[in-house]
Amino acid sequence: MKERLIGIDAGGTMTKVAVFDLQGRELGCENRPNKMLFPGPGRTERDPDAMWQATCEAIRLVLERTGTRPEDVAVVTPSGFGAGIFLVDAAGAVVRPGFVSTDSRSLSVIEDWRANGLKAKVEPLIQAEIWPGQTLAILGWLDRFEPETLARTHRILSCKDFLRLRLTGAMATDATDAGCAGLIDTHSVAYSTDALDCLGLSGVVSKLPEIRPSASIVGHVTQEAARLTGLKAGTPVANGVYDVVACSIASGLAAPDQLGIVAGTFSINSTLHRRPTVDPLPTLQSPYPLDDLFIATIATPRSASNLEWVVKTLLPAEADRLKAKGCSIYDHLGSLVADRLERDGRMMFFPFLFGGPNGASGSLIGAEAGHDLGDVARAVFEGIVYAHRADVEQLLDGREAATPRSIRLAGGPARNHVWSQMFSDALNLPLEIASGSEFGAKGTAMCGAVAAGLFPDLPAAIDAMVTVDRRFEPRPDHSARLDAGYRRYRNASTRLADIFADPAPAPVSHTRPRSVA
């Protein structure tokens, strides 16, 4: 029986390929770095075919190292970062480097849409906020500054959809990626021609791919893809979901009374709804491939990637020393934080290294001579938790907001007991963490399992493949302490924007300066 599932997760920094069995066990994972291109300020791009080559290498290696025979692979399913854009011609050739979802060059276009009222008019049509790395906003930029690029484009694809094109030759997408892109009316799960017409982008409608169910077979591995990957030609390839939805599925997010948190490059905070919500208006919204639900997400670049920067920029020697001893710098920092929790923690870290509210920059304040690395690490852990709490409060504030009773956590902090407990304490909710590590690859592989007929539906796949590994209950004394810290954090973060704002020019003096004798 074919009982191996392959999930591909092409994220912001790595493309990961993992093999799973039907009980949800991860049998092996291989990853390859994705090189980021920076052609100008605020511009982040990716060579799509280099990403495909990295994917091929990872697939070959994971098959070899797990001893998985190609004929035992039931289905292959891709996932990848949402939004951004990948453009191909009618032959499937790349038209230009892809845009990563951290690209911000469309800010000027969005500001124009805001000034002339188009932003406020369009957002209710797509039931989501317009933001710089969103496909819709990037299309606005291309239409204004690279119309010749759009003229050469046959299909507008997402990250995962480009990889599926290379695997199968099929050009399609699913509703989760189309929703994240800001291109659909979430109610009807159809492209919002009203929104595109309003923005003068009606010409792109014919270039958008067919929207097919997430848990459906879209194509089969071609002979060329089989040669490059080691997969068997003809292996089914499923549609899949973008990475936020994939992580949510793999963490067991399945009901409106749960809050899903993914702490990684972005602070990603999601709730499920019976109908799309516009109050609050989420950053991202799309159909969820389970029980006719919809997933609403508030996302900001203020999460665990800030700790990654601290480690790589300030602690590389310490990280190398610990690695040589077989230890992880992240586990070491967690131990240091655990030892500092009973101390007065007035040092604060603001995780705005990749963008803060109202222009605030990343900062560490309140340091004293008696503080050490453990105190700094604690401030970083707490600052990232506070940033998530601010996003969660926005997500839960509105007429149509959910009322969660528990949290499902995924991402780097989920691997650290101290940090996970801190999330539970700060949000004052029970928190659960599912087993496994590569949630993006696993969640999309679960969609593939349904598409291949191995499970009747996604709830059945979750029942079989998702197991809660750890549980945390909020501790009242720690919750009270973190409440006080959060109030200081919110108060100070509003002032940081003023501190880092461009100063007003000094008034010009028209009096003659006095001479110095």
Side-chain angles (χ1 to χ4, degrees), residues 1-4 6 63 67-75 230-236:
M1 178 183 176
K2 294 184 177 183
E3 53 183 21
R4 295 290 180 264
I6 290 183
L63 289 173
T68 299
R69 299 183 306 167
E71 56 267 30
D72 288 336
V73 176
V75 61
L231 294 165
K232 182 180 178 182
T235 301

Side-chain angles (χ1 to χ4, degrees), residues 173-190:
T173 192
D174 83 303
T176 71
D177 248 323
C180 179
L183 295 173
I184 63 171
D185 173 359
T186 315
H187 292 278
S188 63
V189 196

Side-chain angles (χ1 to χ4, degrees), residues 177-234:
D177 248 323
C180 179
L183 295 173
I184 63 171
D185 173 359
T186 315
H187 292 278
S188 63
V189 196
Y191 289 118
S192 179
T193 54
D194 288 345
L196 292 166
D197 288 346
C198 186
L199 298 173
L201 296 172
S202 56
V204 307
V205 174
S206 64
K207 302 175 186 293
L208 299 174
E210 178 187 3
I211 299 173
R212 300 179 62 176
S214 303
S216 66
I217 300 299
V218 173
H220 297 80
V221 173
T222 64
Q223 290 287 349
E224 175 63 9
R227 182 183 68 81
L228 294 171
T229 63
L231 294 165
K232 182 180 178 182

Side-chain angles (χ1 to χ4, degrees), residues 159-492:
C159 177
K160 78 163 173 28
D161 298 333
F162 175 80
L163 290 177
R164 193 184 334 91
L165 166 64
R166 287 290 181 263
L167 282 165
T168 68
M171 299 185 191
T173 192
D174 83 303
T176 71
D177 248 323
C180 179
L183 295 173
I184 63 171
D185 173 359
T186 315
H187 292 278
S188 63
V189 196
Y191 289 118
S192 179
T193 54
D194 288 345
L196 292 166
D197 288 346
C198 186
L199 298 173
L201 296 172
S202 56
V204 307
V205 174
S206 64
K207 302 175 186 293
L208 299 174
E210 178 187 3
I211 299 173
R212 300 179 62 176
S214 303
S216 66
I217 300 299
V218 173
H220 297 80
V221 173
T222 64
Q223 290 287 349
E224 175 63 9
R227 182 183 68 81
L228 294 171
T229 63
L231 294 165
K232 182 180 178 182
T235 301
V237 179
N239 206 356
V241 291
Y242 86 97
D243 59 359
V244 169
V245 175
C247 287
S248 300
I249 292 168
S251 66
L253 187 68
D257 64 353
Q258 294 173 306
L259 168 66
I261 295 179
V262 183
T265 303
F266 279 73
S267 160
I268 297 169
N269 311 278
S270 305
T271 49
L272 300 180
H273 301 261
R274 297 295 175 190
R275 60 187 63 83
T277 173
V278 292
D279 184 17
L281 183 70
T283 314
L284 317 169
Q285 187 155 215
S286 71
Y288 196 66
L290 183 151
D291 291 344
D292 296 322
L293 293 168
F294 298 86
I295 183 168
T297 301
I298 297 291
T300 64
R302 302 166 199 160
S303 191
S305 52
N306 284 265
L307 176 64
E308 185 78 8
W309 181 90
V310 170
V311 168
K312 288 186 175 181
T313 306
L314 306 179
L315 302 172
E318 181 71 358
D320 289 343
R321 182 184 70 82
L322 290 166
K323 185 177 180 180
K325 296 172 62 176
C327 301
S328 160
I329 181 68
Y330 302 101
D331 291 341
H332 177 62
L333 292 176
S335 297
L336 293 178
V337 171
D339 291 339
R340 301 303 188 279
L341 289 179
E342 301 306 322
R343 291 174 56 168
D344 179 33
R346 299 189 66 82
M347 188 189 300
M348 290 190 293
F349 175 75
F350 299 87
F352 307 153
L353 295 171
F354 304 97
N358 302 314
S361 296
S363 310
L364 180 70
I365 64 174
E368 299 176 1
H371 286 143
D372 58 17
L373 178 58
D375 296 296
V376 174
R378 172 185 169 182
V380 173
F381 277 34
E382 289 180 345
I384 291 169
V385 169
Y386 293 153
H388 273 271
R389 176 168 167 177
D391 293 339
V392 168
E393 288 183 351
Q394 181 181 347
L395 179 66
L396 302 183
D397 181 23
R399 253 185 325 106
E400 301 165 315
T403 306
R405 298 180 180 178
S406 64
I407 303 167
R408 288 293 176 110
L409 178 67
R415 302 185 184 103
N416 185 289
H417 181 93
V418 174
W419 214 351
S420 299
Q421 182 66 63
M422 196 178 285
F423 269 89
S424 176
D425 293 337
L427 293 166
N428 201 27
L429 286 171
L431 182 147
E432 297 177 328
I433 299 172
S435 59
S437 59
E438 299 302 335
F439 280 27
K442 183 176 180 178
T444 205
M446 292 165 67
C447 290
V450 175
L454 300 172
F455 298 104
D457 51 31
L458 204 48
I462 290 174
D463 286 345
M465 297 182 66
V466 176
T467 303
V468 173
D469 189 42
R470 285 167 289 155
R471 290 181 172 86
F472 299 86
E473 292 288 335
R475 302 167 298 181
D477 54 336
H478 288 264
S479 293
R481 177 182 61 76
L482 289 168
D483 274 344
Y486 178 67
R487 288 194 296 272
R488 290 196 301 271
Y489 167 90
R490 290 304 299 267
N491 182 44

